[in-house]
Short mmCIF file of all heavy atoms in Angstrom, two decimals:
data_model
loop_
_atom_site.label_atom_id
_atom_site.label_comp_id
_atom_site.label_asym_id
_atom_site.label_seq_id
_atom_site.Cartn_x
_atom_site.Cartn_y
_atom_site.Cartn_z
N ASP A 1 -13.85 6.47 -11.48
CA ASP A 1 -13.58 7.76 -12.13
C ASP A 1 -12.56 8.57 -11.33
O ASP A 1 -11.63 9.14 -11.88
CB ASP A 1 -14.87 8.57 -12.29
CG ASP A 1 -15.87 7.91 -13.22
OD1 ASP A 1 -15.45 7.10 -14.07
OD2 ASP A 1 -17.07 8.22 -13.10
N LEU A 2 -12.74 8.61 -10.02
CA LEU A 2 -11.81 9.33 -9.16
C LEU A 2 -10.43 8.70 -9.21
O LEU A 2 -9.42 9.38 -9.34
CB LEU A 2 -12.33 9.35 -7.72
CG LEU A 2 -11.39 9.96 -6.68
CD1 LEU A 2 -11.12 11.42 -6.97
CD2 LEU A 2 -11.96 9.79 -5.28
N ARG A 3 -10.38 7.38 -9.13
CA ARG A 3 -9.10 6.65 -9.16
C ARG A 3 -8.34 6.94 -10.46
O ARG A 3 -7.14 7.20 -10.45
CB ARG A 3 -9.37 5.16 -9.01
CG ARG A 3 -8.14 4.34 -8.71
CD ARG A 3 -8.47 2.89 -8.45
NE ARG A 3 -9.08 2.77 -7.14
CZ ARG A 3 -10.00 1.86 -6.82
NH1 ARG A 3 -10.43 1.00 -7.71
NH2 ARG A 3 -10.49 1.81 -5.60
N GLN A 4 -9.05 6.94 -11.59
CA GLN A 4 -8.40 7.20 -12.88
C GLN A 4 -7.89 8.64 -12.96
O GLN A 4 -6.79 8.90 -13.46
CB GLN A 4 -9.37 6.91 -14.02
CG GLN A 4 -9.65 5.43 -14.21
CD GLN A 4 -10.76 5.17 -15.21
OE1 GLN A 4 -11.20 6.06 -15.92
NE2 GLN A 4 -11.21 3.92 -15.26
N ALA A 5 -8.67 9.58 -12.45
CA ALA A 5 -8.26 10.99 -12.48
C ALA A 5 -7.03 11.20 -11.60
O ALA A 5 -6.10 11.93 -11.98
CB ALA A 5 -9.40 11.89 -12.03
N LEU A 6 -7.00 10.57 -10.44
CA LEU A 6 -5.84 10.71 -9.55
C LEU A 6 -4.60 10.06 -10.16
O LEU A 6 -3.50 10.59 -10.04
CB LEU A 6 -6.15 10.09 -8.18
CG LEU A 6 -7.18 10.83 -7.33
CD1 LEU A 6 -7.51 10.04 -6.07
CD2 LEU A 6 -6.69 12.24 -6.98
N ALA A 7 -4.79 8.93 -10.81
CA ALA A 7 -3.66 8.23 -11.44
C ALA A 7 -3.00 9.10 -12.51
O ALA A 7 -1.78 9.08 -12.69
CB ALA A 7 -4.11 6.90 -12.03
N LYS A 8 -3.79 9.89 -13.22
CA LYS A 8 -3.25 10.77 -14.25
C LYS A 8 -2.42 11.91 -13.65
O LYS A 8 -1.52 12.44 -14.30
CB LYS A 8 -4.38 11.36 -15.10
CG LYS A 8 -5.04 10.35 -16.00
CD LYS A 8 -6.21 10.98 -16.75
CE LYS A 8 -6.96 9.92 -17.55
NZ LYS A 8 -8.16 10.48 -18.19
N LEU A 9 -2.71 12.28 -12.41
CA LEU A 9 -2.02 13.40 -11.77
C LEU A 9 -0.71 12.99 -11.10
O LEU A 9 0.13 13.84 -10.82
CB LEU A 9 -2.94 14.03 -10.71
CG LEU A 9 -4.22 14.68 -11.23
CD1 LEU A 9 -5.10 15.11 -10.07
CD2 LEU A 9 -3.89 15.86 -12.14
N VAL A 10 -0.54 11.71 -10.84
CA VAL A 10 0.66 11.23 -10.14
C VAL A 10 1.78 11.04 -11.15
O VAL A 10 1.63 10.33 -12.14
CB VAL A 10 0.36 9.89 -9.41
CG1 VAL A 10 1.61 9.35 -8.75
CG2 VAL A 10 -0.74 10.08 -8.39
N PRO A 11 2.93 11.67 -10.90
CA PRO A 11 4.04 11.51 -11.84
C PRO A 11 4.62 10.09 -11.79
O PRO A 11 4.64 9.46 -10.74
CB PRO A 11 5.08 12.53 -11.36
CG PRO A 11 4.76 12.76 -9.93
CD PRO A 11 3.27 12.55 -9.80
N ALA A 12 5.08 9.62 -12.94
CA ALA A 12 5.71 8.30 -13.01
C ALA A 12 7.04 8.37 -12.27
O ALA A 12 7.71 9.40 -12.27
CB ALA A 12 5.93 7.89 -14.46
N GLY A 13 7.40 7.28 -11.64
CA GLY A 13 8.67 7.23 -10.91
C GLY A 13 9.05 5.80 -10.62
O GLY A 13 8.27 4.87 -10.88
N PRO A 14 10.22 5.62 -10.08
CA PRO A 14 10.67 4.26 -9.78
C PRO A 14 9.92 3.68 -8.59
O PRO A 14 9.39 4.42 -7.75
CB PRO A 14 12.15 4.46 -9.43
CG PRO A 14 12.21 5.86 -8.89
CD PRO A 14 11.19 6.64 -9.69
N PHE A 15 9.87 2.35 -8.52
CA PHE A 15 9.30 1.70 -7.35
C PHE A 15 10.19 1.99 -6.16
O PHE A 15 11.42 1.94 -6.27
CB PHE A 15 9.20 0.17 -7.56
CG PHE A 15 8.09 -0.24 -8.48
CD1 PHE A 15 8.36 -0.66 -9.77
CD2 PHE A 15 6.77 -0.21 -8.05
CE1 PHE A 15 7.34 -1.04 -10.62
CE2 PHE A 15 5.75 -0.59 -8.89
CZ PHE A 15 6.02 -1.01 -10.18
N LEU A 16 9.61 2.29 -5.03
CA LEU A 16 10.39 2.59 -3.84
C LEU A 16 10.74 1.32 -3.06
O LEU A 16 11.58 1.36 -2.18
CB LEU A 16 9.63 3.57 -2.94
CG LEU A 16 9.33 4.92 -3.60
CD1 LEU A 16 8.52 5.79 -2.67
CD2 LEU A 16 10.61 5.61 -4.03
N TYR A 17 10.08 0.23 -3.39
CA TYR A 17 10.40 -1.09 -2.86
C TYR A 17 9.97 -2.11 -3.89
O TYR A 17 9.33 -1.75 -4.88
CB TYR A 17 9.77 -1.33 -1.48
CG TYR A 17 8.33 -0.91 -1.32
CD1 TYR A 17 7.30 -1.80 -1.57
CD2 TYR A 17 7.99 0.37 -0.90
CE1 TYR A 17 5.99 -1.45 -1.42
CE2 TYR A 17 6.66 0.74 -0.75
CZ TYR A 17 5.67 -0.18 -1.01
OH TYR A 17 4.37 0.19 -0.86
N PRO A 18 10.35 -3.36 -3.76
CA PRO A 18 10.07 -4.35 -4.81
C PRO A 18 8.60 -4.36 -5.24
O PRO A 18 7.70 -4.20 -4.42
CB PRO A 18 10.46 -5.68 -4.17
CG PRO A 18 11.47 -5.31 -3.14
CD PRO A 18 11.07 -3.95 -2.63
N GLU A 19 8.40 -4.55 -6.55
CA GLU A 19 7.07 -4.48 -7.14
C GLU A 19 6.09 -5.46 -6.51
O GLU A 19 4.90 -5.16 -6.38
CB GLU A 19 7.18 -4.75 -8.64
CG GLU A 19 5.89 -4.54 -9.39
CD GLU A 19 6.07 -4.70 -10.90
OE1 GLU A 19 7.20 -4.87 -11.37
OE2 GLU A 19 5.05 -4.64 -11.59
N ASP A 20 6.56 -6.63 -6.09
CA ASP A 20 5.66 -7.63 -5.52
C ASP A 20 5.47 -7.48 -4.01
O ASP A 20 4.75 -8.25 -3.40
CB ASP A 20 6.16 -9.05 -5.84
CG ASP A 20 7.53 -9.32 -5.25
OD1 ASP A 20 8.24 -8.36 -4.91
OD2 ASP A 20 7.89 -10.51 -5.14
N GLN A 21 6.08 -6.47 -3.40
CA GLN A 21 5.94 -6.24 -1.97
C GLN A 21 4.75 -5.34 -1.72
O GLN A 21 4.65 -4.25 -2.29
CB GLN A 21 7.23 -5.60 -1.44
CG GLN A 21 7.27 -5.43 0.05
CD GLN A 21 8.62 -4.88 0.50
OE1 GLN A 21 9.64 -5.12 -0.14
NE2 GLN A 21 8.61 -4.14 1.57
N MET A 22 3.82 -5.78 -0.87
CA MET A 22 2.60 -5.02 -0.63
C MET A 22 2.81 -3.72 0.12
O MET A 22 2.08 -2.76 -0.06
CB MET A 22 1.61 -5.87 0.18
CG MET A 22 0.91 -6.92 -0.61
SD MET A 22 -0.33 -7.73 0.38
CE MET A 22 -1.29 -6.38 0.99
N SER A 23 3.79 -3.70 1.01
CA SER A 23 3.99 -2.56 1.88
C SER A 23 5.44 -2.47 2.30
O SER A 23 6.17 -3.46 2.24
CB SER A 23 3.09 -2.73 3.12
OG SER A 23 3.41 -1.79 4.11
N ASP A 24 5.84 -1.28 2.74
CA ASP A 24 7.20 -1.17 3.28
C ASP A 24 7.21 -1.36 4.79
O ASP A 24 8.25 -1.31 5.42
CB ASP A 24 7.81 0.18 2.89
CG ASP A 24 7.05 1.36 3.46
OD1 ASP A 24 5.91 1.18 3.90
OD2 ASP A 24 7.61 2.47 3.45
N ALA A 25 6.04 -1.60 5.37
CA ALA A 25 5.96 -1.87 6.81
C ALA A 25 6.43 -3.29 7.09
O ALA A 25 6.19 -4.20 6.30
CB ALA A 25 4.52 -1.70 7.29
N PRO A 26 7.10 -3.50 8.22
CA PRO A 26 7.50 -4.86 8.57
C PRO A 26 6.26 -5.75 8.70
O PRO A 26 5.19 -5.31 9.10
CB PRO A 26 8.18 -4.69 9.93
CG PRO A 26 8.48 -3.23 10.08
CD PRO A 26 7.49 -2.51 9.21
N MET A 27 6.42 -7.01 8.37
CA MET A 27 5.28 -7.94 8.41
C MET A 27 4.68 -8.05 9.80
O MET A 27 3.48 -8.22 9.94
CB MET A 27 5.69 -9.32 7.89
CG MET A 27 5.74 -9.40 6.39
SD MET A 27 4.24 -8.79 5.55
CE MET A 27 2.97 -9.84 6.20
N ARG A 28 5.49 -7.93 10.84
CA ARG A 28 4.97 -7.97 12.22
C ARG A 28 3.95 -6.84 12.42
O ARG A 28 2.90 -7.03 13.01
CB ARG A 28 6.09 -7.84 13.23
CG ARG A 28 7.03 -9.01 13.30
CD ARG A 28 8.21 -8.72 14.21
NE ARG A 28 7.83 -8.56 15.58
CZ ARG A 28 7.99 -9.49 16.52
NH1 ARG A 28 8.55 -10.64 16.22
NH2 ARG A 28 7.60 -9.27 17.76
N HIS A 29 4.29 -5.67 11.92
CA HIS A 29 3.40 -4.52 12.05
C HIS A 29 2.16 -4.69 11.18
O HIS A 29 1.04 -4.41 11.60
CB HIS A 29 4.17 -3.25 11.68
CG HIS A 29 3.36 -2.01 11.78
ND1 HIS A 29 2.99 -1.45 12.98
CD2 HIS A 29 2.80 -1.22 10.82
CE1 HIS A 29 2.26 -0.38 12.77
NE2 HIS A 29 2.13 -0.21 11.46
N LEU A 30 2.36 -5.16 9.96
CA LEU A 30 1.25 -5.37 9.05
C LEU A 30 0.27 -6.40 9.62
O LEU A 30 -0.95 -6.22 9.56
CB LEU A 30 1.74 -5.80 7.67
CG LEU A 30 0.68 -5.95 6.59
CD1 LEU A 30 -0.05 -4.64 6.35
CD2 LEU A 30 1.31 -6.45 5.30
N ALA A 31 0.79 -7.47 10.20
CA ALA A 31 -0.07 -8.50 10.80
C ALA A 31 -0.89 -7.92 11.94
O ALA A 31 -2.08 -8.22 12.09
CB ALA A 31 0.78 -9.67 11.29
N ALA A 32 -0.28 -7.06 12.75
CA ALA A 32 -1.01 -6.42 13.85
C ALA A 32 -2.12 -5.52 13.31
O ALA A 32 -3.23 -5.48 13.85
CB ALA A 32 -0.05 -5.62 14.73
N GLU A 33 -1.84 -4.80 12.23
CA GLU A 33 -2.85 -3.93 11.63
C GLU A 33 -4.00 -4.72 11.02
O GLU A 33 -5.15 -4.29 11.07
CB GLU A 33 -2.21 -3.01 10.58
CG GLU A 33 -1.37 -1.91 11.19
CD GLU A 33 -2.17 -1.03 12.15
OE1 GLU A 33 -3.24 -0.52 11.77
OE2 GLU A 33 -1.73 -0.88 13.30
N ILE A 34 -3.70 -5.88 10.47
CA ILE A 34 -4.76 -6.74 9.92
C ILE A 34 -5.68 -7.19 11.05
O ILE A 34 -6.91 -7.13 10.94
CB ILE A 34 -4.15 -7.94 9.16
CG1 ILE A 34 -3.51 -7.46 7.86
CG2 ILE A 34 -5.21 -9.02 8.90
CD1 ILE A 34 -2.66 -8.49 7.16
N THR A 35 -5.10 -7.62 12.16
CA THR A 35 -5.91 -8.05 13.30
C THR A 35 -6.74 -6.88 13.83
O THR A 35 -7.93 -7.02 14.13
CB THR A 35 -5.01 -8.62 14.41
OG1 THR A 35 -4.28 -9.73 13.88
CG2 THR A 35 -5.85 -9.08 15.60
N ARG A 36 -6.12 -5.72 13.91
CA ARG A 36 -6.83 -4.52 14.38
C ARG A 36 -8.01 -4.19 13.47
O ARG A 36 -9.09 -3.84 13.93
CB ARG A 36 -5.84 -3.36 14.44
CG ARG A 36 -6.33 -2.15 15.14
CD ARG A 36 -5.14 -1.21 15.40
NE ARG A 36 -5.60 -0.03 16.06
CZ ARG A 36 -5.58 1.18 15.51
NH1 ARG A 36 -5.09 1.35 14.30
NH2 ARG A 36 -6.02 2.21 16.17
N GLU A 37 -7.80 -4.33 12.17
CA GLU A 37 -8.88 -4.09 11.21
C GLU A 37 -10.05 -5.04 11.46
O GLU A 37 -11.21 -4.64 11.41
CB GLU A 37 -8.36 -4.27 9.79
CG GLU A 37 -9.45 -4.20 8.74
CD GLU A 37 -9.01 -4.72 7.38
OE1 GLU A 37 -7.89 -5.26 7.25
OE2 GLU A 37 -9.81 -4.60 6.45
N LYS A 38 -9.74 -6.30 11.74
CA LYS A 38 -10.80 -7.29 11.98
C LYS A 38 -11.56 -6.97 13.27
O LYS A 38 -12.76 -7.19 13.35
CB LYS A 38 -10.23 -8.71 12.04
CG LYS A 38 -9.48 -9.14 10.79
CD LYS A 38 -10.25 -8.89 9.52
CE LYS A 38 -9.42 -9.23 8.30
NZ LYS A 38 -9.94 -8.66 7.08
N ILE A 39 -10.85 -6.45 14.26
CA ILE A 39 -11.52 -6.04 15.51
C ILE A 39 -12.55 -4.97 15.19
O ILE A 39 -13.70 -5.04 15.61
CB ILE A 39 -10.50 -5.51 16.54
CG1 ILE A 39 -9.61 -6.65 17.02
CG2 ILE A 39 -11.22 -4.84 17.71
CD1 ILE A 39 -8.40 -6.17 17.82
#
């Protein structure tokens, strides 16, 4: 319910990076964050 309400409030806009890209963070950084999460 919260997710749907928030989605309605966010204005539509262009993708800021490719649609299939999970994050704009470099993969080296993302990999470190994944390991940190597991810790």
Side-chain angles (χ1 to χ4, degrees):
D1 295 336
L2 174 62
R3 193 175 286 148
Q4 289 172 11
L6 291 174
K8 289 177 186 175
L9 296 173
V10 177
F15 285 106
L16 299 177
Y17 44 91
E19 187 175 355
D20 61 341
Q21 186 176 331
M22 283 186 53
S23 170
D24 62 345
M27 281 310 300
R28 291 173 66 102
H29 180 72
L30 184 60
E33 287 302 307
I34 289 169
T35 301
R36 191 167 179 246
E37 174 195 6
K38 302 310 176 197
I39 292 168

